[in-house]
């Protein structure tokens, strides 16, 4: 017999589910939710394209990796700030502005990282700094923003010298340097200056952007080794700003006019100094340019007519963020500007590099497809570390700390594909395995199979494929394909969300739920592969054991 308390609980649960059901149905109508099956790319592991091996792309850029990132275990694991806290113990607010011991530690790390990346074939590095070295000396008489005795001016002069050292060390390893900033970038004095002149930070005022044009000129004149500036407009604000550090960004570029004025200003400086402006199309749904990242019509409306040999437009390879189950980005197939393709090696939405996830097959298919359709692609940007809230995931700092086996394989393999998108990927994988774990024939073949299967297992475990294969739209926006996981490691909890997943997948309910169990079996099979050849490993045994543990975690 069911006890009364248990029956009451069941009645309440059923009432809640019923309410959630009708709330979900109501939300479907209110949010104008529609869905249709995606035209997903076919991903293979070898390339047999009709054109010859592509010419090596001119810009082969990486992020800063783990240089400047401190393994701070006290603040790791549940910190969802998007500020990466680069050099947080190196560059300080007050005199002497630089901690010399910490600076030399990070400079040595940069040397090691730059040497490794150059060895992989990369030739450029993005460094996330801009206003920290700008005094606005070219604005008016030079004292409009920071006075002659301003603490900012003293700080910037010190940071300019130190940044110059870092750039010289990167150049010594053959890496070009690009400074990277969100727009609109501000300090308190700069914001006050704009408010005094224009009444606000008015991004549709050409005169405001002329101030940034002069800032770019100052950077180019100070740093002959800086090849260009990278601009992002789609993410900014408090979640990206470092507490206690008066250099921030605000999401104020939201219109066609504001964006065009910004590009015209920065390009004027680039053309004067023969440098490059890399503009990222990552616009994430904000303002009238919000779908520029994935909508070719919006891209064309905003950027057609902006023609400059000093402009490169940089775009994620996927039609959305770095999830799986997405088409390749259609904006990369056209446009009149030189283009750069962005890849993420440490996949933030798929475990932050903590579980086996070989994405080079996906990268190869993307490169082949995009390069065959767009002859203006001349670069790639591979994120070895960057993306999402770094400290929300495991303490993995590439290549210096934590479990970096998966990251390193993705970084290496993508570098080889950039040089030849039609290379036989299994040969690239085998090359990396031979250097990392040993050249035994059975070891190499087994691990190649292991890595090739890893992404398929992950897809079954982290996505509901019968939902993910559909292009779902709500209020004109596209929710991510991993919808039951809200973001990163946060499970969704909305009855409206789960109702939508249910209505889309209910005809195949047994297959949908069974897929999760298949993923567990797949992970177990992957672990068996590793254990079968464990005694054949001749190098980096500790890394291999961590790889085994990562499958156990999966």
């Amino acid at each position: 017999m069911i006890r009364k308390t248990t029956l009451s609980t069941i009645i309440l649960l059923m009432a809640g589910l019923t309410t959630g059901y009708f709330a979900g149905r109501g939300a479907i109508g209110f949010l104008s939710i529609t869905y249709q099956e995606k035209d997903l790319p076919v991903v293979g592991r070898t390339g047999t394209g009709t054109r010859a091996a592509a010419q090596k792309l001119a810009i082969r850029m990486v992020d800063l990796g783990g240089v400047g990132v401190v393994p701070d275990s006290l603040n790791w694991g549940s910190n969802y700030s998007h500020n990466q806290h680069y050099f947080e113990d190196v560059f300080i607010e007050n005199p002497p502005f630089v901690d010399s011991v910490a600076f030399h530690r990070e400079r040595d790390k940069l040397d090691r990282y730059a040497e490794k990346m150059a060895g992989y074939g990369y030739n450029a590095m993005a460094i996330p700094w801009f206003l920290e070295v700008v005094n606005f000396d070219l604005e008016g008489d030079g004292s409009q923003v920071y006075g002659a005795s301003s603490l900012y001016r003293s700080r910037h002069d010190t940071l300019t010298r130190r940044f110059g050292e870092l750039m010289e060390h990167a150049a010594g390893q053959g890496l070009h340097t690009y400074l990277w900033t969100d727009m609109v970038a501000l300090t308190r004095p700069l914001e006050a200056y704009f408010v005094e002149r224009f009444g606000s930070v008015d991004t549709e005022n050409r005169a405001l952007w002329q101030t940034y044009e002069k800032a770019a000129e100052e950077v180019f004149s100070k740093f002959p080794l800086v090849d260009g500036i990278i601009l992002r407009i789609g993410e900014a604000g408090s979640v990206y700003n470092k507490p206690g550090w008066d250099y921030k960004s605000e999401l104020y570029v939201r219109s066609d006019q504001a964006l065009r004025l910004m590009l015209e200003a920065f390009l004027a400086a680039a053309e004067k100094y023969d440098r490059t402006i890399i503009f990222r199309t990552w616009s994430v749904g904000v303002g009238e340019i919000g779908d520029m990242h994935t909508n070719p019509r919006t891209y064309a409306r905003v950027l057609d007519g902006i023609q400059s040999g000093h402009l490169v437009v940089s775009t994620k390879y996927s039609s959305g963020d770095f999830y799986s189950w997405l088409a390749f980005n259609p904006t990369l197939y056209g446009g009149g500007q030189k283009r750069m393709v962005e890849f993420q090696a440490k996949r933030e939405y798929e475990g932050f590099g903590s579980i086996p996830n070989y994405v080079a097959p996906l990268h190869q298919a993307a490169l082949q497809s995009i390069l065959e359709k767009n002859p203006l692609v001349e670069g790639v940007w591979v994120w070895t570390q960057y993306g999402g809230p770094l400290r929300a995931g495991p303490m993995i700092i590439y290549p210096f700390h934590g479990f970096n086996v998966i990251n390193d394989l993705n970084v290496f393999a993508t570098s080889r594909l950039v040089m030849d998108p039609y290379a036989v990927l299994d040969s690239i994988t085998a090359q990396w395995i031979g250097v990392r774990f040993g050249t035994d024939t059975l070891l190499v073949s087994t691990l190649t199979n292991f890595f090739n299967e890893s992404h398929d297992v992950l897809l079954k475990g982290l996505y509901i494929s019968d939902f993910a294969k559909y292009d779902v739209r709500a209020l004109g926006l596209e929710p991510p394909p991993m919808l039951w996981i809200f973001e990163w490691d946060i499970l969704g909890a909305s009855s409206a969300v789960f109702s939508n997943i249910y209505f889309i997948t209910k005809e195949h309910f047994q297959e949908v739920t069974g897929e999760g169990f298949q993923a567990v079996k797949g992970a177990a099979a992957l672990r068996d592969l590793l254990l079968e050849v464990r005694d054949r490993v001749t190098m980096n045994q500790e890394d291999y054991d961590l790889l085994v543990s990562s499958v156990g975690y999966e």
Side-chain angles (χ1 to χ4, degrees):
M1 175 180 286
I2 299 176
R3 291 182 298 175
K4 184 182 294 185
T5 54
T6 304
L7 184 59
S8 299
T9 301
I10 292 172
I11 291 172
L12 287 171
L13 176 61
M14 293 303 296
L17 290 173
T18 302
T19 302
Y21 173 89
F22 286 107
R25 293 301 291 165
I28 289 173
F30 174 73
L31 297 174
S32 302
I33 293 175
T34 61
Y35 62 95
Q36 62 180 4
E37 195 160 352
K38 298 172 183 172
D39 183 16
L40 294 169
V42 176
V43 178
R45 294 196 174 93
T46 59
T48 56
T50 56
R51 79 181 235 186
Q55 181 179 357
K56 187 187 296 184
L57 297 174
I59 304 175
R60 303 182 299 282
M61 187 164 65
V62 289
D63 59 6
L64 201 55
V67 178
V69 179
V70 177
D72 177 13
S73 58
L74 292 178
N75 294 308
W76 218 282
S78 59
N79 182 344
Y80 290 90
S81 168
H82 280 53
N83 188 295
Q84 304 292 298
H85 295 270
Y86 284 116
F87 297 99
E88 65 179 350
D89 68 334
V90 178
F91 301 133
I92 51 184
E93 187 174 11
N94 296 309
F97 305 119
V98 173
D99 182 306
S100 293
V101 174
F103 176 82
H104 285 98
R105 179 197 69 215
E106 297 304 326
R107 191 187 65 186
D108 291 344
K109 286 170 61 178
L110 184 141
D111 283 339
R112 302 199 305 273
Y113 177 70
E115 182 180 18
K116 184 180 183 73
M117 294 300 96
Y120 280 4
Y122 296 104
N123 66 359
M125 179 187 298
I127 300 180
W129 296 92
F130 178 60
L131 280 189
E132 292 85 352
V133 295
V134 176
N135 287 332
F136 294 96
D137 289 334
L138 303 178
E139 181 76 0
D141 66 5
S143 62
Q144 268 71 17
V145 178
Y146 306 122
S149 60
S150 168
L151 185 70
Y152 288 86
R153 188 173 291 277
S154 299
R155 183 189 304 130
H156 297 169
D157 290 344
T158 299
L159 297 183
T160 295
R161 290 193 298 272
R162 291 304 201 179
F163 270 118
E165 288 185 47
L166 295 179
M167 293 172 192
E168 288 173 2
H169 279 251
Q173 299 292 348
L175 297 186
H176 300 277
T177 303
Y178 292 82
L179 296 189
W180 172 13
T181 183
D182 287 325
M183 276 287 142
V184 175
L186 297 165
T187 62
R188 283 193 299 268
L190 179 59
E191 187 170 18
Y193 174 67
F194 286 147
V195 171
E196 181 181 356
R197 283 191 66 191
F198 311 119
S200 67
V201 183
D202 182 3
T203 58
E204 296 191 352
N205 188 322
R206 186 180 303 275
L208 178 140
W209 290 112
Q210 288 172 343
T211 299
Y212 285 106
E213 177 184 337
K214 293 168 185 173
E217 287 188 26
E218 183 180 340
V219 167
F220 293 147
S221 64
K222 282 181 175 179
F223 297 106
L225 291 176
V226 166
D227 281 69
I229 296 172
I230 304 167
L231 303 174
R232 179 177 73 169
I233 61 167
E235 294 191 60
S238 58
V239 73
Y240 301 91
N241 300 330
K242 178 181 174 182
W245 186 245
D246 186 29
Y247 300 83
K248 67 175 183 176
S249 62
E250 296 292 350
L251 210 164
Y252 292 157
V253 180
R254 303 184 179 195
S255 67
D256 292 20
Q257 181 178 353
L259 174 55
R260 293 176 72 89
L261 288 173
M262 179 190 77
L263 289 179
E264 288 169 4
F266 276 93
L267 285 170
E271 288 161 5
K272 183 175 181 179
Y273 284 85
D274 194 22
R275 309 296 174 86
T276 298
I277 299 301
I278 298 176
F279 169 63
R280 296 193 59 213
T281 61
W282 185 241
S283 48
V284 296
V286 178
E288 66 186 37
I289 57 175
D291 65 346
M292 174 179 58
H293 179 64
T294 57
N295 188 332
R297 292 186 299 276
T298 306
Y299 177 98
R301 187 193 74 223
V302 176
L303 293 178
D304 275 2
I306 300 181
Q307 298 295 329
S308 172
H310 297 272
L311 174 64
V312 176
V313 180
S314 184
T315 302
K316 294 180 181 180
Y317 80 91
S318 50
S319 185
D321 213 338
F322 287 121
Y323 294 95
S324 298
W325 289 100
L326 291 173
F328 296 144
N329 198 318
T331 67
L332 282 165
Y333 293 138
Q337 297 79 26
K338 292 187 288 187
R339 302 301 295 274
M340 174 178 285
V341 185
E342 300 172 7
F343 296 103
Q344 188 181 53
K346 183 184 176 186
R347 303 273 287 196
E348 60 179 290
Y349 300 109
E350 298 173 348
F352 280 103
S354 63
I355 55 181
N357 186 16
Y358 191 31
V359 291
L362 193 58
H363 293 176
Q364 181 176 46
L367 281 169
Q368 291 177 2
S369 177
I370 294 165
L371 289 172
E372 286 172 1
K373 295 179 181 179
N374 190 344
L376 297 179
V377 175
E378 70 165 47
V380 297
W381 183 5
V382 177
W383 300 3
T384 71
Q385 177 77 23
Y386 184 74
L390 171 63
R391 287 162 176 77
M395 194 158 60
I396 296 173
I397 303 173
Y398 181 80
F400 306 106
H401 183 88
F403 175 65
N404 275 295
V405 172
I406 306 301
N407 287 10
D408 193 60
L409 174 56
N410 285 329
V411 172
F412 173 82
T414 303
S415 75
R416 292 300 183 262
L417 292 173
V418 168
M419 290 184 277
D420 180 4
Y422 293 99
V424 177
L425 188 53
D426 281 356
S427 297
I428 293 173
T429 312
Q431 182 184 354
W432 181 88
I433 292 168
V435 173
R436 190 75 175 225
F437 295 123
T439 57
D440 175 85
T441 303
L442 183 59
L443 173 70
V444 171
S445 63
T446 301
L447 289 187
T448 298
N449 183 41
F450 167 88
F451 287 119
N452 285 341
E453 296 298 324
S454 63
H455 188 65
D456 292 337
V457 172
L458 181 142
L459 291 182
K460 290 184 174 67
L462 290 186
Y463 295 84
I464 300 170
S465 64
D466 210 51
F467 172 82
K469 70 183 181 181
Y470 287 101
D471 180 0
V472 181
R473 301 279 169 166
L475 293 177
L477 302 176
E478 183 180 5
M482 191 190 286
L483 195 58
W484 70 279
I485 301 175
F486 170 67
E487 295 283 25
W488 307 297
D489 63 344
I490 305 172
L491 290 179
S494 164
S495 58
V497 168
F498 285 122
S499 293
N500 282 288
I501 295 174
Y502 171 70
F503 280 109
I504 291 173
T505 63
K506 64 181 180 180
E507 300 301 325
H508 307 97
F509 187 73
Q510 294 300 324
E511 293 90 339
V512 167
T513 54
E515 191 175 56
F517 293 99
Q518 292 174 24
V520 176
K521 292 179 180 178
L526 290 180
R527 183 171 55 185
D528 290 344
L529 287 176
L530 292 180
L531 294 176
E532 285 173 9
V533 293
R534 187 167 180 265
D535 61 349
R536 295 175 179 269
V537 175
T538 56
M539 295 179 286
N540 298 306
Q541 184 69 55
E542 182 178 356
D543 278 351
Y544 193 87
D545 290 342
L546 287 173
L547 183 59
V548 175
S549 297
S550 78
V551 188
Y553 174 63
E554 180 180 29

